[in-house]
Amino acid sequence: SSHPALGPLAANMLPLYFLGGEIVPLLGARRFLQLYLGGGLVSSLCQVSWPVIAPQLNIPGKYRNHPAQPSLGASGAVNSVVAFSIMAAPARMIYVYFFLPIPSALLGCLFLGARFNNHK
């Protein structure tokens, strides 16, 4: 989505910074860029097509985005990196606030769920 404020921009850049550093050695820079740009492209296409598809599926109005809502795909690109990280190392422990160990899969699902919930 388009980010006029620093808070949402930081919410995208922090996971990218921390997880990107782990994923680039696994995939290589070129494949990582393909993952990131592909995730952004797919999420942007979904964003654009959703107002057309949702009414045909009888999706309630509160789950539909306004057709003119701008989107840059940045959140979708970051979400693709988070999803890949979950699949690559689901049992890895991530220390939230430097002391609370949470498995990567659980933290990633909470992160993606919170993002989905914020876009309703």
Side-chain angles (χ1 to χ4, degrees):
S1 60
S2 181
H3 300 297
L6 290 179
L9 179 63
N12 272 341
M13 294 301 105
L14 282 174
L16 184 61
Y17 176 77
F18 287 110
L19 299 176
E22 295 180 358
I23 295 173
V24 170
L26 291 173
L27 294 178
R30 184 181 187 140
R31 300 277 302 190
F32 177 80
L33 186 60
Q34 290 172 342
L35 171 69
Y36 184 80
L37 294 178
L41 179 64
V42 169
S43 69
S44 291
L45 291 173
C46 290
Q47 176 81 17
V48 168
S49 63
W50 185 248
V52 175
I53 295 170
Q56 295 174 0
L57 298 174
N58 295 320
I59 304 294
K62 71 179 185 175
Y63 296 107
R64 297 183 201 170
N65 294 336
H66 189 277
Q69 182 179 8
S71 176
L72 299 177
S75 293
V78 172
N79 288 346
S80 69
V81 171
V82 171
F84 183 86
S85 176
I86 292 168
M87 292 185 290
R92 180 188 62 221
M93 298 305 274
I94 296 175
Y95 289 86
V96 177
Y97 301 115
F98 302 106
F99 70 89
L100 180 63
I102 298 179
S104 172
L106 176 59
L107 187 61
C109 290
L110 292 172
F111 173 80
L112 295 174
R115 290 181 150 249
F116 175 74
N117 193 36
N118 287 339
H119 288 288
K120 284 185 183 178

